[in-house]
Structure formats: C-alpha cells, structure tokens
Amino acid sequence: MNAKPYTICDIMAYTHTIGSRIWRFNGLKTLLAKASPARSGDELAGVAAESEEERMAARMALADVPLKHFLEEAVISYESDEVTRLIFDTHDAGAFSEIGHLTVGDFRNWLLSHATDTETLTRIAPAITPEMAAAVSKLMRNQDLILVAQKCRVVTRFRNTIGLPGQMSVRLQPNHPTDDAKGIAASMLDGLLYGCGDAVIGINPASDSLSAVITLLDMLDKFRERYEVPTQSCVLTHVTTTIQAIEQGAPVDLVFQSIAGTEKANASFGVNLTLLKEAHEAGLSLSRGTVGNNVMYFETGQGSALSADAHHGVDQQTCEARAYAVARAFSPLLVNTVVGFIGPEYLYDGKQITRAGLEDHFCGKLLGLPMGCDICYTNHAEADQDDMDTLLTLLAVAGVNFIMGVPGADDIMLNYQSTSFHDALYVRSVLGLKRAPEFEAWLEKMGITSQDGNLSERLLPGAARLLESA
C-alpha cells in the first residue's frame, strides 16, 4: 500500500482522429463519459457522447491510455472527495506491477486471455482502481463482460459459504407494506420451501423506527434458531439504526447500507467512511458468524449519484464502480447492484438495464467483491419480465454470487418487479447451479430437496414442520 497520497497531475487532453476530423476530450472524466454505451442517465446529465462517431472516437482514445495514468489524474479531486482519497491511498502498488505497463486496450486483451485465470485475477484485484475497471468495461462487448466475470471468484462466509464455483445463492426478500409479521412469515416460508434464502433473509422495513426494526430482527432470529437454518438475516434499515439496535442487544447478523461513489452522494444517504467503519466494527463485535466474519451488506445502483446531484460530471457507470471501492474497504458478505430500481431516467429500457447489470457485475468482481444483482425494473420503464429473464440467464452464466427471490417477482412494498423463487429454480435447472453447501445440506435434512438438490415431490416431515409454524 502507499505510504502517502499520489501527486495528481493536471487534466490532460486526449485525441483520436477519424478521417479528417480530430476528436478532442479534455480529461479522463470527459473521456470516460463519452466512451460509455448510450444510457438515459448520462444524457440527462449532459455528459453522453452526442453521436456514435464521437462515442467510437472516445473508445479508441481510451484504449490508448496507460493504466498508470489513472493513478495520476483523478476524475474527482483528491482534496475534496474522501472516496477519491480512499481509492488512491489504498491502491496496491506491488500488485499493480503485474499490469502497470498495459494500456486500457491491452488490459482488455490481457483479461480475455486464457492465461489470465482465477488465481491471477484474485491476486491483482487490489491493484485495480474503479476507474480502470470502468474504463476497460467500456471497450467490452457483453460476452467479454461475461467471460471475464466468470473467471473472477469471490468467496465470503458468515453462517454459510457464498460464491463457490458452480454455486448461486438467493436473497429471500419477504417484504410487506405494513411489516405485518404473518405476511412476512408467509413469504419467508414460501421462499424456503422453494429452496431460497441462502444469501440472506433480508427485509426492507416499511418503518425505519428502532422498535419496529428490533421486532423484525427478533422474529427472524427466533425462526432461524428454532429450525437451525444455516443462513443470515438482515433488516435493511439505515446504518445508524442498526448501530442503535446492536447497542440495545438486538440479534443483528448483517449490517446493511446503501452506498454510492462520491462523498457527496454518500452524504445524501447520511453516511461517510468513518460511520461505515463504526458500523463494521459494531457488527464484528457481536461475533455471530459461525464459518466466517463478513458482516456487511451493501446495495448500490447506477444513477444514485446523479439523482442526488452528486456526480461531479462523472458518468453514472464510473460513479457506480467507485461505490465498489467503498464496499471493498469493509470486506462485505454481499454487494448488490439494484440495477433497474431507480427508473428509466437513468436506465431507459431493457437493453440499457441488461448492459448496466453486466457492467456492474464485471466491475465489482474485478475489484474483488462478492457481487449479486437485483435483476429488476420499475413499471414505467420500457422493460418487461422477458428482459429480466435474459439478464438473469446472462448473469448466472457470468457467475453472479446471488440474486433476489421475491414472491411472484412483484415486491408489494417497494412496488417494483424483480426475480421470483421460480426464477431461481429455472437457472439452477438449466445451469446446474448449487446453493451454499451448508444450506443445501439443511434443505435435504428438512426434506425440502432431494439428494440431487431438486425440490422434493412430496412433503416430508421437516418441510411439514415449517408449514405448521405458519
């Protein structure tokens, strides 16, 4: 790691000639934005390429930029942004020596090479900055993003093991618009009987009051203990509420927080790096994990910085990648890009949502994060469930660590469309994907699944006991 901050150089100009026209891009920030695939959020921000010719010229210019230059020019100033300081101050110069001679275009070819394997990608992850990851993703086709992400393996542990080869986990999301205990329990049991819940049983509470959060935490923990479920629970409340719950002795497994890629955007969420460190330490202090101590759960989404007017002129995908630097600092169990949740102002249609989901998963995995994806859209976007089927399949092939499991794919509290318990069964069937091994063994013990991991065709005693508790 570096003992002192980098000296940041002045903004450089980048050029590329097409025919008789010379295209000029002032600074990495502009170059990265103009090289991005088309999306409504960048157009809204006024940073997108104005033509396909300009976009291609930017990509050609970007391909020639040395990776080492990303350590000399910041897209958001070092002095004014703590996320930038985190990125530069924690960069692993030793690991970077393996790739520091490459340009962005060379880096793409190196990543796609058969010689660059999982072990290599794990070794160099601390050397890659978010801007490097975002830059190389802009030169890649969808299949390239899938191929490289599939080679990246990030394994995390709390009460079970997530991210092993051939494995995909599911967050069971039993939300209810009034936090009704019976409604939550019904959705939770439904999900478990479909073999979902090994990533986390996570509730988005309708109320953010401390007492309501503690009530939900107690309910989840009593259920988990009664049936000895080898998974983790989480109530996705603000980190300050979770810290208060911990101080009051509540059974907190995972500490949740939405994060973004700039200091100003995180401030709009009511957090900073110091607060996140306090929350991380509070979660660790409980020592509730049995097979590991990854206690943080982060959610992100392209467009969050722009929606808070906190993007500093940086394109939304590069801002998203910077959020992964924040997550990486706290060794999370789960990182989830809620890809289509913010709306069509930022990702207009199914094509843009699909591309963004693949980009986010690729960049997160390249940076060494346990990436999942809420494969989703809002009802006013130009997208439908067929688009989600496509993205689900592509991400499963790419080795996504986890997806969402929502009753009927329709979240009745957050009012958006996601993936269902049945969708998880589909990708397990077509790709032969397993659950977390500890959870898989529990499902078989309970009679929910058979030895081959498929759902049992008749209700066995353990499953019957679960239903009796409803």
Side-chain angles (χ1 to χ4, degrees):
M1 301 295 178
N2 298 290
K4 60 183 179 179
Y6 290 94
T7 299
I8 311 300
C9 73
D10 294 331
I11 292 175
M12 290 184 60
Y14 304 87
T15 61
H16 184 75
T17 301
I18 297 179
S20 60
R21 180 167 183 177
I22 299 175
W23 292 89
R24 179 185 175 93
F25 307 96
N26 292 322
L28 275 177
K29 176 165 63 177
T30 299
L31 182 63
L32 288 166
K34 298 294 187 180
S36 287
R39 64 204 53 196
S40 53
D42 289 340
E43 294 172 4
L44 178 67
V47 302
E50 295 182 5
S51 67
E52 289 302 320
E53 184 179 9
E54 183 181 26
R55 181 172 288 111
M56 184 54 65
R59 288 175 178 170
M60 297 297 289
L62 181 60
D64 291 334
V65 176
L67 289 182
K68 62 184 179 181
H69 191 69
F70 288 84
L71 304 176
E72 300 168 352
E73 181 181 345
V75 298
I76 302 174
S77 76
Y78 181 94
E79 293 76 16
S80 66
D81 187 271
E82 68 173 1
V83 178
T84 299
R85 293 193 291 275
L86 174 69
I87 291 167
F88 278 78
D89 294 351
T90 61
H91 180 255
D92 191 327
F96 187 66
S97 63
E98 191 168 348
I99 57 173
H101 61 289
L102 301 175
T103 64
V104 177
D106 294 332
F107 187 40
R108 172 188 176 274
N109 295 337
W110 183 85
L111 289 170
L112 292 170
S113 169
H114 292 299
T116 303
D117 57 13
T118 298
E119 181 180 345
T120 303
L121 291 170
T122 300
R123 185 172 63 248
I124 62 117
I128 302 171
T129 69
E131 290 84 357
M132 293 177 195
V136 74
S137 76
K138 297 175 193 296
L139 306 185
M140 290 180 152
R141 293 170 56 186
N142 287 358
Q143 65 174 251
D144 299 336
L145 299 174
I146 293 167
L147 189 153
V148 177
Q150 197 276 334
K151 294 194 288 185
C152 297
R153 281 290 156 193
V154 184
V155 179
T156 55
R157 296 174 174 87
F158 188 75
R159 285 200 191 89
N160 57 31
T161 307
I162 299 171
L164 294 170
Q167 176 191 313
M168 184 195 73
S169 296
V170 177
R171 170 191 161 187
L172 205 172
Q173 186 169 307
N175 295 342
H176 192 277
T178 63
D179 288 340
D180 179 74
K182 289 184 178 179
I184 290 171
S187 294
M188 187 164 59
L189 290 171
D190 190 25
L192 288 170
L193 291 171
Y194 277 102
C196 296
D198 54 335
V200 63
I201 301 175
I203 302 171
N204 296 90
S207 170
D208 210 27
S209 74
L210 180 59
S211 61
V213 167
I214 291 176
T215 296
L216 292 174
L217 286 167
D218 285 335
M219 181 190 74
L220 289 173
D221 200 55
K222 287 176 182 175
F223 178 89
R224 181 192 61 79
E225 287 190 329
R226 178 179 178 183
Y227 294 102
E228 300 178 323
V229 190
T231 191
Q232 36 283 331
S233 64
C234 184
V235 176
L236 283 69
T237 187
H238 192 269
V239 67
T240 53
T241 306
T242 303
I243 292 172
Q244 290 178 334
I246 291 172
E247 291 171 346
Q248 294 198 15
V252 173
D253 286 347
L254 303 186
V255 178
F256 167 80
Q257 183 56 48
S258 294
I259 55 172
T262 73
E263 179 178 346
K264 185 178 178 182
N266 282 324
S268 74
F269 290 142
V271 298
N272 56 37
L273 296 178
T274 300
L275 181 58
L276 292 175
K277 181 180 179 181
E278 179 187 348
H280 184 219
E281 291 172 350
L284 288 174
S285 72
L286 298 180
S287 300
R288 289 174 58 83
T290 56
V291 298
N293 62 353
N294 299 114
V295 300
M296 301 300 287
Y297 175 14
F298 293 117
E299 286 192 346
T300 67
Q302 287 196 29
S304 59
L306 175 58
S307 68
D309 192 24
H311 61 297
H312 301 277
V314 178
D315 69 272
Q316 66 182 39
Q317 191 246 334
T318 301
C319 278
E320 171 73 3
R322 284 169 56 93
Y324 303 152
V326 176
R328 183 166 62 176
F330 300 101
S331 303
L333 181 77
L334 308 166
V335 179
N336 177 35
T337 169
V338 192
V339 65
F341 182 74
I342 301 180
E345 299 85 358
Y346 306 96
L347 295 170
Y348 179 72
D349 57 15
K351 181 175 181 178
Q352 292 189 8
I353 292 171
T354 297
R355 175 70 190 191
L358 294 175
E359 288 171 348
D360 295 352
H361 180 250
F362 163 85
C363 288
K365 282 289 186 66
L366 200 60
L367 292 167
L369 288 175
M371 288 302 297
C373 185
D374 191 341
I375 301 160
C376 63
Y377 64 101
T378 56
N379 287 319
H380 61 309
E382 291 294 321
D384 58 29
Q385 214 64 37
D386 285 338
D387 295 313
M388 300 306 101
D389 286 349
T390 299
L391 180 54
L392 169 64
T393 306
L394 295 175
L395 284 171
V397 172
V400 70
N401 277 35
F402 68 101
I403 62 169
M404 303 299 108
V406 177
D410 183 5
D411 192 300
I412 59 173
M413 195 277 280
L414 293 174
N415 293 310
Y416 77 115
Q417 308 303 310
S418 185
T419 47
S420 70
F421 307 142
H422 300 78
D423 294 332
L425 291 179
Y426 148 70
V427 287
R428 293 196 194 288
S429 177
V430 297
L431 296 175
L433 297 172
K434 302 296 184 181
R435 303 167 183 88
E438 302 88 346
F439 192 77
E440 193 93 68
W442 177 81
L443 290 172
E444 185 179 343
K445 172 186 171 184
M446 295 293 289
I448 296 171
T449 60
S450 53
Q451 287 185 344
D452 59 8
N454 292 323
L455 296 183
S456 296
E457 296 195 7
R458 61 189 181 88
L459 200 60
L460 298 179
R465 283 201 300 119
L466 278 175
L467 284 177
E468 289 169 2
S469 68

